[in-house]
């Protein structure tokens, strides 16, 4: 698909002048066709050999789930769980007995020297040590570039993602492949969008007709409570709730308030209709450019509905206080006991719905849901890690929707949908995805 002709969003908080070249479609790698990618020679030889994978933040819930799922995909992988606390390592092993052979390395993600030491001899670093909001560095990626180690992260912050993209030339010079924002959302959701474009392009080629233009891309996400992920997602959500939202309309960037523009979205059987609100997420900016779609936005919601109301109130607090990582961390720790209790009642469900509106009036949708965010994000991140270990990603810094990041999109999505209980439906008309839900009020819906 062709790229958008819109100008760079120079007035927005995550943008600075050094990023202008990064937002050019030629730099972000707009793919005009599905094509084979030449494997990175340095790492292609490791396809069959046992690989050493360091998971930064591996003692946390997301990191540990990633380790479990990667072990399912590659039973011979040598896993290193890098984190700050041996106590958290012990808890991770207690909760995930299959990680009994995983090594622990005490590592500080904010200290480049500490990360460089941890990845010595590694075949891949998977960075799961969030939250990524308000970070002023990319030490883990910088360490990988300096040490020649492939890199994957689960960043869900626009500024952080763009900062990583700023290392593209350095990564190419060091022959290091890197993929940023490669979790479940962003991550698998980006690939779902790109897959719908692939399918529509293939249908047009087969019929000999012109491919319609994608005009609008809508990302909608839902988690019940914390999704079982704990304080990390709480802190990230608190920080995002105080960050102005940049979305795109008709090729132009538009700034709106966070936790605004409520929409009710049907996430299908098992989840039903849920309210979602605009948040500032990196897939909006990257998919606008890489997929050439002029209008893009992303919404998120949780349950019970009172939590959405709490996020709205938080968004109204004075920014110097509420935008602080320390404040968000304290709020997450304070809320954690209540959220754990709510999780027991609400469960850990996660759902994504990705919609594309086309110039011919058609709408195609893809949907994913799973009973546990913790399991689902681990499966998605492990799928990206497995793709990186395959050696097919060329040197550079890529985002998930680019062909360079994931040459085999369907294969990755199949791995994301592998956990028991997962539902994934790709590229269908909206009416084929719906549930039959009833609104109870206060943001609560139930399936009939």
């Amino acid at each position: 698909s062709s790229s958008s002709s819109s100008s760079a969003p120079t007035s927005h908080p995550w943008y600075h002048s050094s990023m202008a070249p990064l937002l050019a479609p030629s730099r972000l790698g707009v793919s005009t066709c599905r094509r084979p990618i030449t494997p990175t020679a340095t790492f292609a030889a490791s396809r069959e050999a046992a690989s050493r994978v360091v998971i930064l933040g591996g003692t946390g819930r997301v990191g540990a789930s990633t380790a479990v799922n990667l072990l399912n995909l590659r039973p011979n992988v040598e896993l290193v769980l890098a984190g700050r606390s041996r106590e958290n390592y012990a808890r991770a092993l207690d909760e995930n007995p299959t990680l009994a052979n995983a090594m622990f390395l005490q590592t500080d993600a904010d200290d480049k020297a500490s990360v460089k030491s941890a990845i010595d001899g590694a075949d891949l670093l998977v960075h799961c040590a969030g939250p990524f909001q308000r970070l002023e560095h990319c030490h883990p990626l910088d360490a990988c570039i300096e040490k020649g180690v492939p890199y994957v992260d689960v960043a869900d912050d626009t500024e952080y993602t763009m900062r990583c993209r700023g290392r593209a030339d350095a990564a190419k010079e060091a022959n290091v492949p890197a993929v940023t924002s490669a979790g479940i959302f962003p991550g698998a959701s980006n690939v779902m969008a790109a897959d719908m474009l692939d399918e529509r392009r293939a249908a047009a080629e087969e019929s000999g007709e012109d491919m319609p233009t994608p005009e609008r891309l809508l990302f909608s996400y839902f988690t019940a409570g914390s999704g079982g992920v704990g304080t990390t997602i709480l802190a990230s959500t608190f920080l995002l709730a105080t960050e102005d939202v940049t979305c795109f309309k008709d090729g132009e960037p538009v700034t709106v308030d966070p936790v605004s523009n409520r929409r009710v979205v049907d996430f299908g059987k098992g989840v039903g209709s849920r309210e979602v609100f605009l948040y500032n997420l990196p897939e909006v900016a990257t998919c606008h450019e890489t997929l050439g779609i002029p209008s893009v936005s992303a919404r998120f919601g949780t349950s019970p509905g009172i939590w959405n109301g709490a996020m709205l109130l938080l968004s109204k607090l004075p920014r110097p206080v509420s935008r602080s990582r320390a404040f968000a961390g304290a709020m997450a720790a304070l809320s954690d006991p209540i959220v754990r209790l709510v999780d027991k009642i609400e469960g850990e469900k996660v759902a994504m719905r990705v919609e594309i509106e086309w110039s011919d009036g058609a709408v195609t949708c893809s949907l994913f849901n799973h009973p546990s965010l913790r399991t689902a994000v681990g499966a998605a991140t492990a799928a990206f890690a497995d793709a990186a270990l395959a050696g097919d990603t060329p040197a550079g810094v890529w985002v998930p929707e680019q062909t360079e990041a994931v040459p085999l999109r369907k294969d990755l999505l199949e791995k994301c949908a592998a956990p028991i209980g997962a539902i994934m439906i790709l590229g269908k008309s909206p009416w084929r995805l719906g549930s039959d839900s009833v609104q109870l009020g206060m943001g609560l819906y139930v399936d009939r």
Side-chain angles (χ1 to χ4, degrees), residues 32-195:
T32 57
C33 63
R34 289 172 292 175
R35 62 191 187 282
I37 297 297
T38 303
T40 308
T42 307
F43 306 110
S46 66
R47 287 177 182 272
E48 303 301 329
S51 301
R52 179 182 174 91
V53 177
V54 177
I55 301 180
L56 191 59
T59 60
R61 290 187 176 94
V62 171
S65 179
T66 298
V68 168
N69 282 277
L70 186 56
L71 198 59
N72 290 337
L73 295 173
R74 291 178 174 257
N76 294 326
V77 71
E78 179 185 344
L79 290 170
V80 178
L81 306 184
R84 299 188 183 190
S85 166
R86 187 169 287 276
E87 290 73 21
N88 286 343
Y89 169 68
R91 191 207 70 234
L93 296 193
D94 184 57
E95 294 179 354
N96 305 279
T98 58
L99 299 181
N101 292 326
M103 181 195 302
F104 172 72
L105 277 179
Q106 189 164 11
T107 310
D108 183 354
D110 294 325
D111 184 336
K112 185 166 69 171
S114 179
V115 177
K116 287 178 72 173
S117 176
I119 62 175
D120 190 36
D123 296 294
L124 176 68
L125 174 68
V126 182
H127 181 9
C128 299
F132 292 85
Q133 287 73 23
R134 314 291 190 272
L135 282 176
E136 299 297 328
H137 64 78
C138 292
H139 289 335
L141 175 56
D142 290 336
C144 284
I145 291 172
E146 292 177 21
K147 296 280 286 188
V149 175
Y151 170 92
V152 169
D153 72 40
V154 297
D156 57 353
D157 179 68
T158 303
E159 188 172 350
Y160 187 90
T161 297
M162 291 300 177
R163 189 179 295 117
C164 285
R165 291 290 294 124
R167 271 65 168 179
D169 287 343
K172 288 178 181 177
E173 290 174 8
N175 198 31
V176 170
V179 183
T180 183
S181 297
I184 188 162
F185 58 84
S189 58
N190 308 42
V191 178
M192 290 165 70
D195 176 75

Side-chain angles (χ1 to χ4, degrees), residues 235-313:
S236 294
T237 306
F238 291 155
L239 288 166
L240 285 169
T242 62
E243 188 173 298
D244 287 340
V245 177
T246 297
C247 48
F248 290 85
K249 183 176 181 180
D250 299 327
E252 296 297 326
V254 179
T255 299
V256 298
D257 291 334
V259 202
S260 64
N261 288 264
R262 175 182 178 271
R263 184 173 181 240
V264 176
V265 173
D266 192 339
F267 289 100
K269 293 291 184 181
V271 178
S273 295
R274 304 286 179 166
E275 57 181 358
V276 292
F277 305 81
L278 287 176
Y279 282 83
N280 196 45
L281 294 171
E283 58 268 45
V284 172
T286 66
C287 285
H288 166 67
E289 294 295 335
T290 63
L291 302 181
I293 301 179
S295 298
V296 188
S297 62
R299 287 175 171 83
F300 170 80
T302 186
S303 67
I306 192 171
W307 291 133
N308 293 318
M311 292 302 103
L312 179 59
L313 290 175

Side-chain angles (χ1 to χ4, degrees), residues 5-21:
S5 60
S6 65
S7 58
T10 55
S11 63
H12 295 280
W14 50 263
Y15 177 86
H16 54 77
S17 59
S18 64
M19 292 178 183

